[in-house]
Amino acid sequence: MTEVKIVMLENCQDLFPAKAHCDDAAFDLRSRVDMELPPGRSTLVPAGFCMELPVGFEAQIRPRSGLALKHDIMLTNSPGTIDAGYRGEVGIIMFNAGTQPFPVKRGDRIAQMVICQLPEVTLTAAVSLSETGRGTGGFGSSGKN
């Protein structure tokens, strides 16, 4: 099992990242503050903790589907990546795509965090690539079906 050290900021012990169910893929992240997300803008919402990821791992910060569906709340840089070398407070960049301000209360679940192991990868300079059926076809090139 991989250990990730979590340090909670002062008076934030109740916000410790946790899975709602034992078979969940992600840890729920909660807001450290009461605030309002203005419509049409990105806002940084602090989560009340710092962490130490092992080298070779990242934390991916992902949106909550209920906030997106019911309230038009998204994460601007989804998924956000937290690198193993970062030791500051985790913050969630939330975007209100709705038309009204959206209230965030301390303790509200605002995002999800998945811890992922990274493969060892070497990028190699090349002069050509192998042929495929798709080739250089990009965005929308595979049709609508």
Side-chain angles (χ1 to χ4, degrees), residues 58-79:
E58 70 163 328
Q60 294 180 2
I61 308 301
R62 300 178 180 180
R64 294 185 53 79
S65 56
L67 287 178
L69 179 64
K70 297 175 185 174
H71 304 288
D72 294 321
I73 302 297
M74 303 180 286
L75 302 188
T76 306
N77 65 326
S78 180

Side-chain angles (χ1 to χ4, degrees), residues 50-126:
C50 305
M51 66 181 163
E52 181 178 332
L53 292 163
V55 173
F57 284 79
E58 70 163 328
Q60 294 180 2
I61 308 301
R62 300 178 180 180
R64 294 185 53 79
S65 56
L67 287 178
L69 179 64
K70 297 175 185 174
H71 304 288
D72 294 321
I73 302 297
M74 303 180 286
L75 302 188
T76 306
N77 65 326
S78 180
T81 293
I82 299 174
D83 296 308
Y86 179 67
R87 296 292 186 271
E89 181 178 8
V90 171
I92 313 305
I93 305 171
M94 301 183 76
F95 181 80
N96 181 354
T99 59
Q100 300 297 317
F102 181 77
V104 174
K105 300 296 181 198
R106 186 185 193 285
D108 283 356
R109 293 181 296 164
I110 56 171
Q112 303 177 82
M113 178 175 70
V114 175
I115 307 295
C116 299
Q117 188 168 9
L118 302 169
E120 287 290 324
V121 175
T122 300
L123 300 180
T124 304

